[in-house]
Structure formats: C-alpha cells, structure tokens
Amino acid sequence: MATCRYAPIVPSPDPAPLRLSVDRSSPVPLYFQLAQQLESAIETGGLAPGSLLGNEIELAGRLGLSRPTVRQAIQSLVDKGLMVRRRGVGTQVVHSQVKRPLELSSLYDDLLAAGQRPATRVLRNSVAPASAQAAATLGVPEGSEVVVVERLRLAHGEPMAHLTNHLPPDLLPLSTADLEATGLYRLMRGAGITLHSAQQTVGARAATAEEGRLLAEPEGAPLLTMQRTTYDAKGRAVEFGSHIYRASRYAFEFRLLVRT
Amino acid sequence: MATCRYAPIVPSPDPAPLRLSVDRSSPVPLYFQLAQQLESAIETGGLAPGSLLGNEIELAGRLGLSRPTVRQAIQSLVDKGLMVRRRGVGTQVVHSQVKRPLELSSLYDDLLAAGQRPATRVLRNSVAPASAQAAATLGVPEGSEVVVVERLRLAHGEPMAHLTNHLPPDLLPLSTADLEATGLYRLMRGAGITLHSAQQTVGARAATAEEGRLLAEPEGAPLLTMQRTTYDAKGRAVEFGSHIYRASRYAFEFRLLVRT
DNA sequence: AAGTGGTCTAGACCACAGA
DNA sequence: CTGTGGTCTAGACCACTTA
C-alpha cells in the first residue's frame, strides 16, 4: 500500500499544537472566542506566518464545535486579512506583519495615542445657514440651519490642523467646553450615535496667508486637505468636515483590502 | 385580542414586492445570486433606502432556500455597507447613496475610467541594489538586487504623477514596452499574481526644483505623496512604491467602515 | 485518489426590540 | 408577548489542488 517514496507526515511546525478551547458557559459567542484565540496566537507568534491551520473538520472535532462555527471564526480572520484560504490546500496565516486597519478615529484620539498632548481651541461654535456643499452632503435644504464648529488642533502647544465641521441641528448638544476637552467623535459616541462608515477625500494645496497664520506656516506651504462625510448605522450623514493639516506634521495611513 | 388602536399592517412601500429568483442549474452560488439581485435592486431603487427587507425565514421560504443561505447573501451586503441589521427590528437598506469602496487600482486604470487618455513614459527600468527602506518592506537583504521602475504618468499629454516602484527580482518580467502600454497592477495580475491588500501612507510636501521640472509645476508647489506596499494572497510584499502627484490634478477618495 | 475548502440544508434555541 | 436577527448543530455533496 504505502510506499517509502512519501515523506513522513510532518506535524505542525510549531512545537505545541496550539492551545485552543472554548467556554460554553460564557456569553461570548463560540466563534468569537475561537477567532480571538487564533488572532492572539498569530500576534504572539504561536501561529507562525505561513503556517497551516489544521483542516476545519478536524479542528471542529477537537474543540467540540460544528464545522460552520469553526468556519465562521476563520472567516472573520480572513476578512481581517490575517489568514488566507485555498481550496484543496488549507488555511494559512499570511506572511506579512499585518497592521490593524485604521479605525474611524478622530485626530484627537490619534494624537492621544501617539502621546502628543493634544489640545483644542474652539474658534467658532454656532448655528448658521447651510452652505450648498454642507446641505447636499447632510441631506438638509440649502440655507436651513446647521451647526458649524471650527477648531484649531494643537499638539505640544503647536498648531497641527484646522478643522471645520457641519452637523445636522438637534443631533447632539455641543458645548465649547466639551469640544475643548475631547474629540468630536468621542462626544458623538457618548451621545449614543453609532458611527458606521465615512467617505473621505484627501488632497493637497498651498496655504493661503490666513491659513498660514493659523497654522504657523508660511503662505504657500503645502497643506494636506481632507473632506469627510460620516454616516451612522442607518446611513444618515451625521457630520461633514473640511479639514486642513500641516503636511510637515501629519500623514494619513490606511490599508486597502482587495475585494474578491 | 387585537384592538383598533393598532395601525393596519403596512405592506412594503415598494409597489412590486421585488422580483427575486435563483437558478439552481447555474454554477454561481445561490447566496451570490441573491446578493447580486438585492444589490442591483438597491442600485436601481427597487429597494428604497430605509426600506425593510422581509424577515429571513419568510424570504428563504419564498425562494426555496435555507435560512443560512439567505443570511450569507444578506451578510455580504451588510459587509459592503449597503444594509444594516437590527435584532428585533429587521434588515434595512442604508439611507445614504453608498459609493463602492475603492478597489486597489492603478492610477492608469483610474485615469482610463475617467476618460483621461493616460500615457506612460518610462524613465528607468533596471536592476539595482535595494535601498534600506525598499529592502525592509520587500523582505530582502539590504543591498541585494531589486527591480526599480521609474515612470512619468501623463493624462491628455500633461504630467500627472511621478511613480517609483521597487519589486522583488524574478517576480515577473517587465518590458519597457509593456510598462508604456498599461499599468503595473494589470501586468502583475496578468502574470498570475493575486493582489490582496496594500498599506498606504498619504502625505504632502513642496516640490523640489527637479520634481517641478518633471511635473510642470513651479518649485515649492504642493505635491501629494503616497507610499504603498502591496501584498499578494500569501502576504508576501510584491511591490513597494513611492509616488508623487500634482495636487492640482489629483486627490484620493476612499471609504472607511467602522469595525463592529 | 485523497484531502481540502465551498456551498447548502433543515432544523434548534437564545437575546433583544417593540407593541 | 410576538417577531426579529444571532448563534449553533450534524450532517451532505461538490470543486479544486496536490500527489
């Protein structure tokens, strides 16, 4: 039957065949528990890049789960770009060090996370007739009243960005004190608004004299520009922003997954 | 039992309750057929923004499918940001006009799609020792040989961008003629390379005199910069690019989905 | 030929929202 | 309380890859 031409079955390259277990008394879904364990194994190196995960049916049997549940766990990691499936081959960990995809975060939180001591100076917090662009993106009649917030964002006391936001009226109360203490997205989440997605356009242009004065850059200095419309879970636009950043101090980093 | 206080059950707001059907003899997966029909119904307005999709079990019965299959179809649309599910409520179409997420496309294809008559001038196509940055991102030893391609991208005869790419040696043959006829990504896909994801950093800076000469901009003009590392399905870096774009002619547009 | 993931079924029970 | 989506099971057959 078998011949010696075949190489012996090589066990998983990792010494310990990976400790996996699920807690059925936990309220956390089983597929989610498994996905978390696999993800942390990838992060800590317990699952080496390129290594094959055992086949789904065997894995399901070992854990006492059904195959669909195991598939759901693996699929969530594939969606995150951490693993790749190939029919007839198996499921393997991708080779690259994958950075987590950028969350929809505020500049304030980005600066906080980078240890940059962010601060905000509110230049304007008022209600005004909507411009054509703001009205179109927020889905309100042109000229109807919207909240307009204009802020200067500082890090270590140095200006970083000038942020102009338009919001629907009555979405949430925005006190100037709150706006100086934290970021807009944090306030919105705190008010029970679920942020869901955003459409962004990033470009560049030269600073006007006025913009240069605000940002401590010479006139004509390169600025990064971003226009962003943010939607809640129901797809309603909850914020339209038009921002400029000092190019010398800031860049955008993000990850694209190819749709398959 | 029932009282007149309740409003009558309102039928689906759309006049025709949506024509859905699947072809079991087709090789296209059933869940995919359903997802496509729902997506096109959303695009054409057959499923109005905000409208509720009938519940999953009823929908499955109507189509002669099992509930998991129907769920898989709906889930794929939720992942695309086209629908939202709420427990106890139902599944509804998001309100906003959702643009398709940006694919990992080449500038060449972007320009083609915009009817911009793209052209490429190859300034360099050679093998050279890897710089520290290129070596680190491509995962090859510093100083080992990599392919370096430098191109000027034109639209309607006007320069748009200056593109510098580094590729692992022996990944694919790159003739200057091919590079002038199409985009790099198209060549890579044609060579059987599956592009999977990319990590991008977008910033801005002022043009040097040399860059200004290449792009027909004055020295000091604002430029958009992008550095991009592209990975294949196994997570290996297949390309590292460092590009500059005329800010007066180009901006990046993309969509962020909040992870839940 | 053997092994893998891809798809699909027909049920089940639970948690949560809304009337 | 009723209806919804969220999770889960224990199978099944198929298509593809590899040897």
Side-chain angles (χ1 to χ4, degrees), chain A residues 77-93:
Chain A
L77 298 181
V78 171
D79 290 341
K80 282 188 186 176
L82 293 173
M83 305 190 116
V84 183
R85 288 205 235 238
R86 281 187 296 162
R87 178 148 47 178
V89 177
T91 303
Q92 53 185 313
V93 180

PDB file of all heavy atoms in Angstrom, chain A residues 77-93:
ATOM      1  N   LEU A  77     -11.308  36.062  10.458  1.00  0.00           N
ATOM      2  CA  LEU A  77      -9.888  36.397  10.365  1.00  0.00           C
ATOM      3  C   LEU A  77      -9.466  36.598   8.915  1.00  0.00           C
ATOM      4  O   LEU A  77      -8.601  37.425   8.620  1.00  0.00           O
ATOM      5  CB  LEU A  77      -9.046  35.291  11.026  1.00  0.00           C
ATOM      6  CG  LEU A  77      -9.345  35.115  12.511  1.00  0.00           C
ATOM      7  CD1 LEU A  77      -8.462  34.040  13.108  1.00  0.00           C
ATOM      8  CD2 LEU A  77      -9.128  36.425  13.252  1.00  0.00           C
ATOM      9  N   VAL A  78     -10.078  35.837   8.018  1.00  0.00           N
ATOM     10  CA  VAL A  78      -9.802  36.056   6.600  1.00  0.00           C
ATOM     11  C   VAL A  78     -10.255  37.459   6.202  1.00  0.00           C
ATOM     12  O   VAL A  78      -9.557  38.176   5.489  1.00  0.00           O
ATOM     13  CB  VAL A  78     -10.513  34.990   5.744  1.00  0.00           C
ATOM     14  CG1 VAL A  78     -10.412  35.332   4.259  1.00  0.00           C
ATOM     15  CG2 VAL A  78      -9.906  33.615   6.010  1.00  0.00           C
ATOM     16  N   ASP A  79     -11.424  37.855   6.717  1.00  0.00           N
ATOM     17  CA  ASP A  79     -11.933  39.190   6.397  1.00  0.00           C
ATOM     18  C   ASP A  79     -11.011  40.285   6.910  1.00  0.00           C
ATOM     19  O   ASP A  79     -10.949  41.372   6.350  1.00  0.00           O
ATOM     20  CB  ASP A  79     -13.330  39.387   6.990  1.00  0.00           C
ATOM     21  CG  ASP A  79     -14.372  38.530   6.277  1.00  0.00           C
ATOM     22  OD1 ASP A  79     -14.098  38.086   5.157  1.00  0.00           O
ATOM     23  OD2 ASP A  79     -15.441  38.301   6.848  1.00  0.00           O
ATOM     24  N   LYS A  80     -10.339  39.997   8.017  1.00  0.00           N
ATOM     25  CA  LYS A  80      -9.405  40.989   8.554  1.00  0.00           C
ATOM     26  C   LYS A  80      -8.076  40.973   7.813  1.00  0.00           C
ATOM     27  O   LYS A  80      -7.185  41.748   8.141  1.00  0.00           O
ATOM     28  CB  LYS A  80      -9.132  40.704  10.034  1.00  0.00           C
ATOM     29  CG  LYS A  80     -10.217  41.138  10.980  1.00  0.00           C
ATOM     30  CD  LYS A  80      -9.728  40.969  12.407  1.00  0.00           C
ATOM     31  CE  LYS A  80     -10.842  41.254  13.396  1.00  0.00           C
ATOM     32  NZ  LYS A  80     -10.402  41.001  14.784  1.00  0.00           N
ATOM     33  N   GLY A  81      -7.900  40.023   6.920  1.00  0.00           N
ATOM     34  CA  GLY A  81      -6.645  39.956   6.186  1.00  0.00           C
ATOM     35  C   GLY A  81      -5.561  39.198   6.922  1.00  0.00           C
ATOM     36  O   GLY A  81      -4.392  39.274   6.552  1.00  0.00           O
ATOM     37  N   LEU A  82      -5.927  38.470   7.989  1.00  0.00           N
ATOM     38  CA  LEU A  82      -4.906  37.764   8.760  1.00  0.00           C
ATOM     39  C   LEU A  82      -4.639  36.360   8.221  1.00  0.00           C
ATOM     40  O   LEU A  82      -3.578  35.804   8.467  1.00  0.00           O
ATOM     41  CB  LEU A  82      -5.334  37.656  10.236  1.00  0.00           C
ATOM     42  CG  LEU A  82      -5.396  38.979  10.998  1.00  0.00           C
ATOM     43  CD1 LEU A  82      -5.990  38.781  12.373  1.00  0.00           C
ATOM     44  CD2 LEU A  82      -4.002  39.564  11.120  1.00  0.00           C
ATOM     45  N   MET A  83      -5.596  35.765   7.547  1.00  0.00           N
ATOM     46  CA  MET A  83      -5.419  34.414   7.027  1.00  0.00           C
ATOM     47  C   MET A  83      -5.900  34.345   5.588  1.00  0.00           C
ATOM     48  O   MET A  83      -6.641  35.203   5.123  1.00  0.00           O
ATOM     49  CB  MET A  83      -6.215  33.404   7.860  1.00  0.00           C
ATOM     50  CG  MET A  83      -5.900  33.448   9.341  1.00  0.00           C
ATOM     51  SD  MET A  83      -6.655  32.050  10.202  1.00  0.00           S
ATOM     52  CE  MET A  83      -5.191  31.218  10.750  1.00  0.00           C
ATOM     53  N   VAL A  84      -5.475  33.300   4.913  1.00  0.00           N
ATOM     54  CA  VAL A  84      -5.867  33.064   3.529  1.00  0.00           C
ATOM     55  C   VAL A  84      -6.320  31.617   3.410  1.00  0.00           C
ATOM     56  O   VAL A  84      -5.693  30.717   3.960  1.00  0.00           O
ATOM     57  CB  VAL A  84      -4.680  33.295   2.565  1.00  0.00           C
ATOM     58  CG1 VAL A  84      -5.125  33.113   1.136  1.00  0.00           C
ATOM     59  CG2 VAL A  84      -4.101  34.667   2.760  1.00  0.00           C
ATOM     60  N   ARG A  85      -7.436  31.414   2.699  1.00  0.00           N
ATOM     61  CA  ARG A  85      -7.894  30.056   2.445  1.00  0.00           C
ATOM     62  C   ARG A  85      -7.619  29.697   1.008  1.00  0.00           C
ATOM     63  O   ARG A  85      -7.822  30.494   0.108  1.00  0.00           O
ATOM     64  CB  ARG A  85      -9.400  29.981   2.636  1.00  0.00           C
ATOM     65  CG  ARG A  85      -9.883  30.060   4.026  1.00  0.00           C
ATOM     66  CD  ARG A  85     -11.213  29.378   4.051  1.00  0.00           C
ATOM     67  NE  ARG A  85     -12.248  30.226   4.574  1.00  0.00           N
ATOM     68  CZ  ARG A  85     -12.967  29.884   5.640  1.00  0.00           C
ATOM     69  NH1 ARG A  85     -12.705  28.781   6.265  1.00  0.00           N
ATOM     70  NH2 ARG A  85     -13.918  30.662   6.047  1.00  0.00           N
ATOM     71  N   ARG A  86      -7.179  28.478   0.750  1.00  0.00           N
ATOM     72  CA  ARG A  86      -7.090  27.999  -0.622  1.00  0.00           C
ATOM     73  C   ARG A  86      -7.672  26.604  -0.695  1.00  0.00           C
ATOM     74  O   ARG A  86      -7.266  25.725   0.060  1.00  0.00           O
ATOM     75  CB  ARG A  86      -5.637  28.009  -1.100  1.00  0.00           C
ATOM     76  CG  ARG A  86      -5.190  29.418  -1.488  1.00  0.00           C
ATOM     77  CD  ARG A  86      -3.821  29.409  -2.115  1.00  0.00           C
ATOM     78  NE  ARG A  86      -2.804  28.948  -1.162  1.00  0.00           N
ATOM     79  CZ  ARG A  86      -1.604  28.515  -1.541  1.00  0.00           C
ATOM     80  NH1 ARG A  86      -1.298  28.473  -2.813  1.00  0.00           N
ATOM     81  NH2 ARG A  86      -0.726  28.123  -0.637  1.00  0.00           N
ATOM     82  N   ARG A  87      -8.619  26.465  -1.582  1.00  0.00           N
ATOM     83  CA  ARG A  87      -9.299  25.188  -1.727  1.00  0.00           C
ATOM     84  C   ARG A  87      -8.290  24.112  -2.110  1.00  0.00           C
ATOM     85  O   ARG A  87      -7.446  24.335  -2.967  1.00  0.00           O
ATOM     86  CB  ARG A  87     -10.382  25.331  -2.796  1.00  0.00           C
ATOM     87  CG  ARG A  87     -11.120  24.077  -3.081  1.00  0.00           C
ATOM     88  CD  ARG A  87     -12.548  24.327  -3.477  1.00  0.00           C
ATOM     89  NE  ARG A  87     -12.736  25.364  -4.481  1.00  0.00           N
ATOM     90  CZ  ARG A  87     -13.928  25.692  -4.968  1.00  0.00           C
ATOM     91  NH1 ARG A  87     -15.010  25.090  -4.532  1.00  0.00           N
ATOM     92  NH2 ARG A  87     -14.028  26.631  -5.864  1.00  0.00           N
ATOM     93  N   GLY A  88      -8.421  22.980  -1.515  1.00  0.00           N
ATOM     94  CA  GLY A  88      -7.517  21.885  -1.814  1.00  0.00           C
ATOM     95  C   GLY A  88      -6.190  21.994  -1.107  1.00  0.00           C
ATOM     96  O   GLY A  88      -5.383  21.071  -1.154  1.00  0.00           O
ATOM     97  N   VAL A  89      -5.938  23.105  -0.464  1.00  0.00           N
ATOM     98  CA  VAL A  89      -4.650  23.318   0.201  1.00  0.00           C
ATOM     99  C   VAL A  89      -4.847  23.458   1.705  1.00  0.00           C
ATOM    100  O   VAL A  89      -4.307  22.681   2.495  1.00  0.00           O
ATOM    101  CB  VAL A  89      -3.948  24.584  -0.338  1.00  0.00           C
ATOM    102  CG1 VAL A  89      -2.660  24.829   0.409  1.00  0.00           C
ATOM    103  CG2 VAL A  89      -3.702  24.439  -1.828  1.00  0.00           C
ATOM    104  N   GLY A  90      -5.630  24.429   2.101  1.00  0.00           N
ATOM    105  CA  GLY A  90      -5.819  24.662   3.516  1.00  0.00           C
ATOM    106  C   GLY A  90      -5.865  26.133   3.842  1.00  0.00           C
ATOM    107  O   GLY A  90      -5.927  26.974   2.950  1.00  0.00           O
ATOM    108  N   THR A  91      -5.836  26.422   5.115  1.00  0.00           N
ATOM    109  CA  THR A  91      -5.897  27.793   5.585  1.00  0.00           C
ATOM    110  C   THR A  91      -4.563  28.151   6.210  1.00  0.00           C
ATOM    111  O   THR A  91      -4.060  27.412   7.055  1.00  0.00           O
ATOM    112  CB  THR A  91      -7.009  27.945   6.634  1.00  0.00           C
ATOM    113  OG1 THR A  91      -8.234  27.525   6.058  1.00  0.00           O
ATOM    114  CG2 THR A  91      -7.122  29.388   7.093  1.00  0.00           C
ATOM    115  N   GLN A  92      -3.975  29.252   5.768  1.00  0.00           N
ATOM    116  CA  GLN A  92      -2.690  29.610   6.354  1.00  0.00           C
ATOM    117  C   GLN A  92      -2.646  31.069   6.765  1.00  0.00           C
ATOM    118  O   GLN A  92      -3.391  31.900   6.268  1.00  0.00           O
ATOM    119  CB  GLN A  92      -1.529  29.270   5.422  1.00  0.00           C
ATOM    120  CG  GLN A  92      -1.622  29.828   4.027  1.00  0.00           C
ATOM    121  CD  GLN A  92      -0.475  29.324   3.151  1.00  0.00           C
ATOM    122  OE1 GLN A  92       0.676  29.340   3.547  1.00  0.00           O
ATOM    123  NE2 GLN A  92      -0.814  28.886   1.958  1.00  0.00           N
ATOM    124  N   VAL A  93      -1.727  31.309   7.708  1.00  0.00           N
ATOM    125  CA  VAL A  93      -1.509  32.652   8.203  1.00  0.00           C
ATOM    126  C   VAL A  93      -0.730  33.432   7.144  1.00  0.00           C
ATOM    127  O   VAL A  93       0.199  32.900   6.554  1.00  0.00           O
ATOM    128  CB  VAL A  93      -0.708  32.608   9.527  1.00  0.00           C
ATOM    129  CG1 VAL A  93      -0.478  33.999  10.063  1.00  0.00           C
ATOM    130  CG2 VAL A  93      -1.407  31.727  10.538  1.00  0.00           C
TER     131      VAL A  93
END
